[in-house]
Amino acid sequence: MTSSIDRVVIVGGGTAGWMTAALVARVIGSRVTVTLVESDEIGIIGVGEATIPPIQHVNAVLGIDEAEFLRETRATIKLAIRFDDWGAIGESYYHTFGAAGRNTAFCSFHHFWNRARAGGYAADYWDYDLNYLCAREGKFARIQVDDPTWHLPYAYHFDSALYGQYLRRYSEARGVRRVEGLVEHVRRDAESGTVTTLKLRDGSEIAGDLFIDCSGARGLLIQQQLNVGYEDWGHWLPCDRAMAVPSARTDATPPYTRSTARDAGWQWRIPLQHRIGNGLVYSSRHMTDDRAAEMLCSHIDEALLDEPRIIRFRTGRARRQWERNVVAIGLSSGFLEPLESTSIYLIQSAIVRLLHLFPHAGFDDRQIAEYNRQSQTEFETVRDFIILHYHATRRDDSGFWRDLRTMAVPDRLADKIALFRATGTLTQDPPDIFMEPSWVQVMMGQGIVPADYHPLADGPSDAELAAQLRDLAAMKREPVANMPLHDRWLAAFGGAMT
Ligand code: FAD
């Protein structure tokens, strides 16, 4: 037995740092001390406002009250992302957190729908999706029933700065020690190369056993000290900048994110209770910053609340996200662009993985390798899902879209698309956060409609299938009629700011 891991030190107080502090304190805080150091001078990236449903597990583990959380972070409900102009200019579809129809054993709903579509009697695919029906009408209520027909999975849009402050209060109340200061020097053990102590500008020192690098894209420990290297995915995901600006809120808050494809990237619109977050993600090879600012602002109708600001990024991942006694979480571990709001989820997943593989007495290389193997697979599956959006397009109105629609994509993705196109079958990679309904929606939403379907979909006659689909659409619509508008629900639930 080597020495035990008693002192956890987190560098960085952005979303990654405070989520890590809160979860480590909550789950294993009786066994370790947690110190977080952050620099007010550097600040946080200050974007990252849209999430996906697993965020609810974080709140559940932390024991957070949902109404309080909504109020404190000025959050709204997110049921879907609406994608405009992605498959072709003028087309729209939703990637919802729900699922269309109802699956039968061995045969997913989209096979039945595809047969009915070929017969000319299917409604729009999304008309069988409760998340879509609610999103379209701007409605929401929490539905708690066992029947999956009416499951309404949701996530949140929140103010990232307020989220960090909220988690900071939570963490400090549970014993996390916060130190404000700039880390200037890092001391390492001469023999093993492990990090031993952080030296701050004011001369103070923080010693630790396990260091969690949440220092953002600079990767203060994982890159600047341990030089693990970076795998660059810019050839598949060429957007490398964002121009972000908040605007005034509108009267009604839609319960979904909007993503609109533009000449050389895409624009987000994230509705919060007190403002709207806007940003243009673009490729600097295809668009100048001036043009990006002009394009962003010309597509915002409300008053701007600030000057647009540029954020530079590089898509890819740290080659090893755990090295020696340093684990990189958040932007220091890599970045997949924000198209599917996956970064906060990847933070969550990294923390959960670390907690599962938490070292007891010293560091075991096999444990570190297992962590790195899981992280790599997860990043790659999310990466492929994001590439799909750019690649599965019929747009050819700019060099950007022509490059992306004709590029060679990773083999696994190419195989997945080809199989779906021919048969309607979707291969499911086990650790993929995006399940079959997500892949089906994006593929079909962007114009990949399967040429065939599963033989079990031939079971009912045309008349029977048409009646089943009619009933299903009516069942899906049933709860929507009595559902309140999203803003009304927020107020009635106690989640609206006062
Ligand atoms: P940061 O917020 O950069 O925090 C770094 C911390 O490290 C700061 O506290 C800083 O002070 C500290 N620090 C750095 N160096 C030192 C030092 N020397 N000494 C002391 N402290 C130091 N994710 C989503 O899930 N959904 C989204 O909608 C989304 N949108 C995005 C849009 C854009 C344009 C970008 C670029 C990212 C987006 N993300 C999104 C990602 C998300 O913003 C990040 O994953 C999240 O904010 C976590 O950032 P972080 O904590 O790793 O880094």
Side-chain angles (χ1 to χ4, degrees):
M1 291 262 277
T2 44
S3 56
S4 64
I5 309 298
D6 299 324
R7 298 163 303 172
V8 174
V9 177
I10 300 169
V11 185
T15 300
W18 284 115
M19 275 179 87
T20 307
L23 281 162
V24 170
R26 171 74 175 178
V27 175
I28 198 168
S30 58
R31 305 293 310 265
V32 297
T33 62
V34 183
T35 305
L36 182 147
V37 54
E38 65 176 322
S39 157
D40 288 346
E41 195 178 310
I42 294 179
I44 61 168
I45 191 161
V47 279
E49 309 197 314
T51 61
I52 57 176
I55 187 83
Q56 293 190 13
H57 299 310
V58 175
N59 288 0
V61 169
L62 297 180
I64 282 175
D65 174 75
E66 190 174 20
E68 177 191 278
F69 166 79
L70 288 163
R71 270 193 320 272
E72 296 284 322
T73 64
R74 305 285 191 269
T76 60
I77 297 296
K78 176 181 172 190
L79 293 170
I81 304 176
R82 172 175 153 177
F83 287 95
D84 293 333
D85 298 339
W86 278 84
I89 292 176
E91 285 185 6
S92 279
Y93 73 96
Y94 287 69
H95 170 203
T96 76
F97 296 136
R102 223 172 17 185
N103 289 341
T104 53
F106 304 108
C107 184
S108 302
F109 173 74
H110 69 272
H111 293 285
F112 290 95
W113 178 83
N114 202 19
R115 179 185 150 206
R117 182 195 62 87
Y121 54 86
D124 188 76
Y125 182 73
W126 281 265
D127 285 344
Y128 306 96
D129 184 323
L130 181 57
N131 275 59
Y132 164 73
L133 296 170
C134 295
R136 189 185 60 180
E137 296 198 20
K139 291 184 161 185
F140 178 73
R142 293 199 305 181
I143 299 182
Q144 272 141 357
V145 289
D146 289 336
D147 187 336
T149 313
W150 290 296
H151 280 180
L152 189 63
Y154 63 95
Y156 309 104
H157 307 113
F158 55 56
D159 181 315
S160 63
L162 294 178
Y163 182 58
Q165 289 162 22
Y166 182 66
L167 291 184
R168 174 181 161 187
R169 289 194 292 277
Y170 177 98
S171 304
E172 288 185 318
R174 281 154 187 83
V176 173
R177 183 170 75 100
R178 172 188 183 260
V179 178
E180 198 288 311
L182 187 80
V183 178
E184 271 196 339
H185 298 289
V186 177
R187 202 165 294 143
R188 292 169 60 188
D189 182 80
E191 212 173 293
S192 65
T194 55
V195 172
T196 56
T197 316
L198 307 178
K199 195 159 179 218
L200 309 193
R201 181 181 278 175
D202 67 6
S204 60
E205 297 194 347
I206 303 172
D209 303 310
L210 173 66
F211 288 81
I212 306 188
D213 185 346
C214 298
S215 65
R218 58 179 51 75
L220 188 77
L221 303 180
I222 200 77
Q223 297 295 358
Q224 292 181 15
Q225 283 297 321
L226 300 178
N227 293 310
V228 296
Y230 197 78
E231 199 176 326
D232 193 316
W233 289 335
H235 50 296
W236 286 313
L237 295 168
C239 289
D240 57 357
R241 287 190 193 175
M243 186 81 67
V245 70
S247 63
R249 61 155 286 136
T250 45
D251 287 345
T253 320
Y256 57 86
T257 305
R258 247 175 110 164
S259 162
T260 309
R262 304 270 183 233
D263 298 359
W266 60 278
Q267 184 163 342
W268 79 74
R269 187 174 167 86
I270 297 178
L272 305 179
Q273 292 188 28
H274 56 314
R275 62 170 166 79
I276 294 170
N278 305 277
L280 184 79
V281 173
Y282 60 102
S283 155
S284 62
R285 268 198 308 122
H286 297 86
M287 190 183 272
T288 63
D289 296 337
D290 287 347
R291 174 82 185 113
E294 189 188 307
M295 179 162 283
L296 170 67
C297 298
S298 67
H299 286 98
I300 300 172
D301 294 333
E302 308 80 26
L304 301 185
L305 301 179
D306 209 339
E307 289 294 314
R309 69 180 173 107
I310 298 183
I311 302 161
R312 292 177 172 76
F313 58 83
R314 215 171 131 213
T315 49
R317 57 179 284 274
R319 286 192 185 278
R320 287 184 303 285
Q321 292 164 327
W322 182 343
E323 175 80 348
R324 298 170 205 259
N325 64 338
V326 173
V327 181
I329 295 182
L331 295 173
S332 60
S333 70
F335 181 55
L336 286 159
E337 63 141 279
L339 186 56
E340 282 285 354
S341 328
T342 40
S343 286
I344 295 171
Y345 168 73
L346 288 169
I347 293 170
Q348 165 183 350
S349 169
I351 302 167
V352 170
R353 187 156 44 249
L354 173 61
L355 288 168
H356 274 294
L357 296 169
F358 206 85
H360 184 204
F363 295 91
D364 186 316
D365 286 345
R366 289 160 301 193
Q367 207 163 21
I368 295 175
E370 175 57 16
Y371 180 95
N372 285 327
R373 188 192 64 74
Q374 291 180 20
S375 309
Q376 177 175 354
T377 313
E378 184 169 53
F379 260 69
E380 288 176 356
T381 48
V382 173
R383 174 201 69 195
D384 288 356
F385 187 57
I386 295 173
I387 295 173
L388 170 70
H389 297 63
Y390 284 105
H391 184 59
T393 181
R394 280 154 287 136
R395 286 187 68 147
D396 63 357
D397 52 293
S398 67
F400 176 82
W401 291 109
R402 281 191 293 276
D403 287 353
L404 286 163
R405 65 182 283 192
T406 53
M407 73 178 168
V409 298
D411 289 346
R412 193 172 43 196
L413 175 60
D415 291 346
K416 206 164 184 146
I417 294 173
L419 184 63
F420 184 74
R421 198 189 289 282
T423 66
T425 303
L426 259 173
T427 48
Q428 186 73 51
D429 301 305
D432 192 350
I433 179 65
F434 293 107
M435 306 296 279
E436 186 178 82
S438 292
W439 285 86
V440 170
Q441 291 179 67
V442 176
M443 291 224 204
M444 298 211 308
Q446 297 200 191
I448 305 176
V449 178
D452 200 0
Y453 52 79
H454 192 281
L456 283 174
D458 273 333
S461 67
D462 276 332
E464 284 166 347
L465 183 55
Q468 283 168 12
L469 289 176
R470 258 195 321 275
D471 290 350
L472 199 48
M475 276 170 79
K476 291 278 183 173
R477 280 197 304 273
E478 219 169 84
V480 186
N482 297 322
M483 216 177 256
L485 289 169
H486 172 215
D487 289 306
R488 282 247 175 116
W489 178 83
L490 272 175
F493 186 66
M497 62 182 180
T498 46

